[in-house]
Amino acid sequence: MNCPSRGRENPELLLDYSAAKLPRQLAAELEAHLHECRACSELVAQQQAVWSALDLLAAPEVSATFDRELYNRIGQQDSWWSRLIRPIRPALVLWRGPLVAATCLVITAGIVLEFGVPQEHKATSVEIVQPEQVVHALDDIEMFESFDHSVPPASSIPEL
Amino acid sequence: MPPQPESLKGVETSVGGCAATLDYDTELMIQVREGHEASFGLLLEKHRSSVVHFLYRMVENQAVAEELAQEVFLRVYRSRSTYEPTAKFTTWLFRIATHLALNSLRDGKHERRQESLDNASDEAPSRQVSDSRPSAEALMVREAKMEEVRRAVAALPEKQRAAVLMHKYQEMDYAQIAKALHTSESAVKSLLFRAYETLRARLAHMG
Ligand SMILES: [Zn+2]
């Protein structure tokens, strides 16, 4: 076996061995190497110490109200309109980019039509808020789409 | 109609009989997709703690962790109609959790490191009174070690931390972690190697 810590070909061998995740055959080969390689045996000893130390990282119990709050949120969010759009949701997921862009355009057009050429202070607030909202929306979409490259859209990060 | 915990028991038997070509969680999620909403309760029951704990270790704030975990399960439930089993259910679940955790950390909307651990360290002296001396000392040593581990993990860059948490506590393999982090397997190996290198420098003396 090539030295995994020097060659850096399979450094994960040492991690997997320390976590007792290595298949028996490979573990035996590595053990033979550990007997003759000080660098690897030291790394394994240190890694095993880290592995045990991580067992100390406790996390608190989940609140007793967790499920109730979740079901409340589900009840609130699973409203009539979401039931209404459920049949066309896959199409919405597919067309979310153009839909958001179109929505932004409609909103912008609405503001322009409503206020005409706005007074200075109104124009300022529109200019400050709107780009942020659009950027946020586009950022979300971009994020979801980037996730979609390795897993198809339907099973990627679901939107709310 | 949201699923109700009371109705879970009847489902357990019918689900338990499923042939396991797909993993059990995926079977459950397919049942949720098909309208068997109580199967969602089984998934929640099975993964609630691991998701909350993962998020807690990511954001170090119990209230935020639970809020994010609720959003994870909410998204799972809301996307049931379009669910396709292209990846292991837990990979998908932790992908959502990781995405939300990284976003939350990026937005910096919360204080990290709040009450629970502070309380834990406050409790140590009071226990000292009632406990016998050696176990009180042992407790304090343990608290100090826990704090050291916590600091070391918290100091890792966010993606490295997420990778370590999934590798150590969720026992996910490199491919699963790669999907959850939307990166390649070799990138995950490199993330983990760098993260453990840092942790070895800080924690190896504890062995
Ligand atoms: Zn070696």
Side-chain angles (χ1 to χ4, degrees):
Chain A
M1 173 180 275
N2 290 333
C3 175
S5 64
R6 266 187 220 128
R8 299 225 159 185
E9 279 172 36
N10 285 315
E12 74 272 15
L13 275 184
L14 298 170
L15 298 185
D16 291 348
Y17 177 80
S18 307
K21 287 180 179 177
L22 219 53
R24 193 175 292 178
Q25 167 93 35
L26 209 49
E29 280 178 41
L30 184 63
E31 270 163 12
H33 174 75
L34 292 178
H35 284 302
E36 52 196 46
C37 179
R38 194 170 166 176
C40 284
S41 61
E42 275 178 7
L43 197 149
V44 163
Q46 291 177 353
Q47 181 63 24
Q48 283 172 338
V50 166
W51 199 252
S52 320
L54 287 173
D55 288 330
L56 293 170
L57 193 64
E61 288 289 304
V62 180
S63 307
T65 54
F66 183 88
D67 286 13
R68 196 174 62 228
E69 284 165 16
L70 174 64
Y71 286 123
N72 281 343
R73 285 179 71 178
I74 285 175
Q76 283 162 14
Q77 299 227 348
D78 201 26
S79 55
W80 64 270
W81 59 266
S82 67
R83 286 164 188 271
L84 205 67
I85 65 159
R86 191 171 301 152
I88 57 161
R89 192 171 162 77
L92 287 178
V93 168
L94 204 66
W95 288 92
R96 63 198 163 200
L99 275 174
V100 169
T103 308
C104 289
L105 267 175
V106 168
I107 292 169
T108 312
I111 289 167
V112 170
L113 285 174
E114 181 70 23
F115 297 104
V117 180
Q119 290 168 6
E120 227 160 83
H121 67 277
K122 279 187 184 169
T124 310
S125 75
V126 168
E127 277 168 16
I128 290 169
V129 175
Q130 225 181 23
E132 277 182 0
Q133 288 170 335
V134 174
V135 166
H136 271 288
L138 292 175
D139 188 40
D140 270 358
I141 290 162
E142 199 179 307
M143 191 91 71
F144 291 133
E145 279 174 352
S146 74
F147 276 118
D148 291 348
H149 288 305
S150 62
V151 178
S155 58
S156 189
I157 311 296
E159 294 168 87
L160 277 178
Chain B
M1 174 98 169
Q4 295 302 315
E6 293 77 33
S7 57
L8 296 184
K9 279 189 180 156
V11 183
E12 232 160 359
T13 21
S14 66
V15 170
C18 283
T21 41
L22 293 167
D23 71 289
Y24 180 55
D25 294 333
T26 307
E27 288 280 1
L28 285 176
M29 193 57 211
I30 288 171
Q31 292 190 5
V32 177
R33 184 184 67 189
E34 287 163 1
H36 206 312
E37 295 187 336
S39 296
F40 177 79
L42 291 174
L43 285 169
L44 174 62
E45 182 66 33
K46 195 171 168 202
H47 298 290
R48 182 200 306 111
S49 295
S50 57
V51 170
V52 173
H53 290 173
F54 169 77
L55 289 165
Y56 173 76
R57 288 173 176 130
M58 279 301 289
V59 302
E60 295 199 284
N61 180 310
Q62 180 70 357
V64 174
E66 292 201 3
E67 171 74 23
L68 291 174
Q70 291 208 351
E71 204 162 320
V72 171
F73 286 107
L74 206 52
R75 288 185 186 207
V76 167
Y77 184 77
R78 297 259 305 167
S79 61
R80 66 199 180 284
S81 58
T82 54
Y83 175 74
E84 289 298 333
T86 49
K88 226 178 151 188
F89 175 79
T90 43
T91 306
W92 182 55
L93 187 68
F94 279 90
R95 184 173 175 153
I96 302 170
T98 306
H99 174 77
L100 292 175
L102 294 177
N103 269 359
S104 173
L105 290 167
R106 197 174 304 136
D107 292 349
K109 278 189 249 170
H110 59 274
E111 295 284 319
R112 282 174 67 183
R113 175 93 183 109
Q114 67 14 314
E115 78 288 342
S116 58
L117 283 166
D118 293 339
N119 289 347
S121 55
D122 290 347
E123 279 169 22
S126 61
R127 279 185 203 157
Q128 210 171 357
V129 179
S130 54
D131 289 349
S132 66
R133 196 178 171 85
S135 64
E137 273 172 15
L139 190 71
M140 286 177 74
V141 170
R142 190 183 159 81
E143 298 279 359
K145 281 184 174 178
M146 271 176 64
E147 179 59 14
E148 198 175 344
V149 175
R150 188 200 65 75
R151 281 179 197 275
V153 172
L156 292 173
E158 288 152 9
K159 266 196 165 182
Q160 288 186 24
R161 195 183 334 148
V164 166
L165 296 180
M166 285 186 270
H167 185 242
K168 166 67 185 171
Y169 303 103
Q170 311 313 320
E171 299 194 340
M172 288 163 72
D173 60 30
Y174 301 113
Q176 286 177 282
I177 300 170
K179 277 186 179 168
L181 288 175
H182 184 57
T183 188
S184 66
E185 254 185 80
S186 59
V188 164
K189 287 176 184 174
S190 157
L191 271 178
L192 283 172
F193 200 79
R194 278 183 281 139
Y196 284 125
E197 206 163 38
T198 307
L199 292 176
R200 284 195 299 273
R202 293 186 65 150
L203 302 174
H205 67 93
M206 290 171 74

